[in-house]
Amino acid sequence: ETGVTQTPRHLVMGMTNKKSLKCEQHLGHNAMYWYKQSAKKPLELMFVYSLEERVENNSVPSRFSPECPNSSHLFLHLHTLQPEDSALYLCASSQGGTGGHGELFFGEGSRLTVL
Amino acid sequence: GQNIDQPTEMTATEGAIVQINCTYQTSGFNGLFWYQQHAGEAPTFLSYNVLDGLEEKGRFSSFLSRSKGYSYLLLKELQMKDSASYLCAVPNAGNNRKLIWGLGTSLAVNP
């Protein structure tokens, strides 16, 4: 139990569906992240929110839409995805200042399959 | 550019010692992280080195040489539960919020 909870753990969706991934952190951290983990590739940073403000958008296609309503919750809204978007989506949080990168606490991930 | 290299796979025997290497190229340096990830689970933090030398934490130690762009993770008295992927990462030189990750080293510990 890392203090970061992701739901759902598994998701199968068609290319025309709309779904959302949810992340909740119980650690009082001030930054939250979405990462994509695919086989044979390094972890890819997608988005970073610091104090509920998006501070990083790593050239992610617009079919991925993040939302951070408060410092404990982070969503990733998915629509019209492609099969190559199938991957493990990891949420993480940290207590870092604006200039530093603190230790990341990861959720167990949402395994997404796009048919 | 920035890059991290790690061996893809390693095998070791229970009770033995194994060293997992990581080399990095970055225009600036702000520390190096090691994470452990068991299959189907979240990555978990192991260590953070910002100064040269060896830092010991129980059975796990991490070493850094900034002049050589080199780090290693040393695992002693290996146990079956140490079978996992070990990920090396450094903060992006121009943006500390972004980590540059290696592909990870998959370690198999055999009885």
Side-chain angles (χ1 to χ4, degrees), chain A residues 32-108:
Chain A
M32 295 187 76
Y33 309 72
W34 279 116
Y35 275 91
K36 177 182 179 183
Q37 188 172 39
S38 306
K40 310 292 186 188
K41 289 186 176 181
L43 275 168
E44 300 174 54
L45 179 64
M46 299 176 73
F47 302 103
V48 181
Y49 276 82
S50 178
L51 298 172
E52 302 159 39
E53 178 185 348
R54 191 192 311 180
V55 295
E56 186 78 31
N57 180 342
N58 207 32
S59 303
V60 179
S62 59
R63 57 187 184 269
F64 294 91
S65 175
E67 179 190 358
C68 187
N70 56 62
S71 59
S72 299
H73 293 86
L74 185 65
F75 294 89
L76 188 63
H77 303 300
L78 316 169
H79 63 99
T80 58
L81 293 190
Q82 306 297 311
E84 60 264 28
D85 297 323
S86 298
L88 181 68
Y89 289 85
L90 290 164
C91 174
S93 70
S94 73
Q95 185 63 28
T98 53
H101 199 302
E103 171 189 344
L104 288 170
F105 290 77
F106 285 90
E108 301 213 345

Side-chain angles (χ1 to χ4, degrees), chain B residues 1 4 31 37-38 43-45 56 59 75 91:
Chain B
I4 290 185
Q37 186 177 22
H38 286 100
T44 54
F45 171 82
E56 298 186 61
R59 293 189 300 113
L75 290 70

Side-chain angles (χ1 to χ4, degrees), chain A residues 6 9-10 37 88 90 107-111, chain B residues 36-43 83-85:
Chain A
Q6 288 187 243
R9 294 292 309 279
H10 300 273
Q37 188 172 39
L88 181 68
L90 290 164
E108 301 213 345
S110 295
R111 172 70 63 186
Chain B
Q36 178 192 59
Q37 186 177 22
H38 286 100
E41 297 184 13
S83 294
S85 182

Side-chain angles (χ1 to χ4, degrees), chain B residues 6 9 18 21 35 40 58 70-72 76 81-84 89 95 107:
Chain B
Q6 310 179 230
E9 294 179 342
V18 72
N21 296 325
Y35 283 80
Y70 168 67
S71 173
Y72 66 73
K76 302 176 186 175
K81 67 178 182 179
D82 297 329
S83 294
N95 180 356
L107 173 67

Side-chain angles (χ1 to χ4, degrees), chain A residues 8-27:
Chain A
R9 294 292 309 279
H10 300 273
L11 178 62
V12 179
M13 58 187 289
M15 289 191 285
T16 58
N17 291 159
K18 286 185 180 182
K19 297 285 184 183
S20 296
L21 306 181
K22 178 183 175 183
C23 176
E24 183 175 358
Q25 60 103 354
H26 312 275
L27 301 168

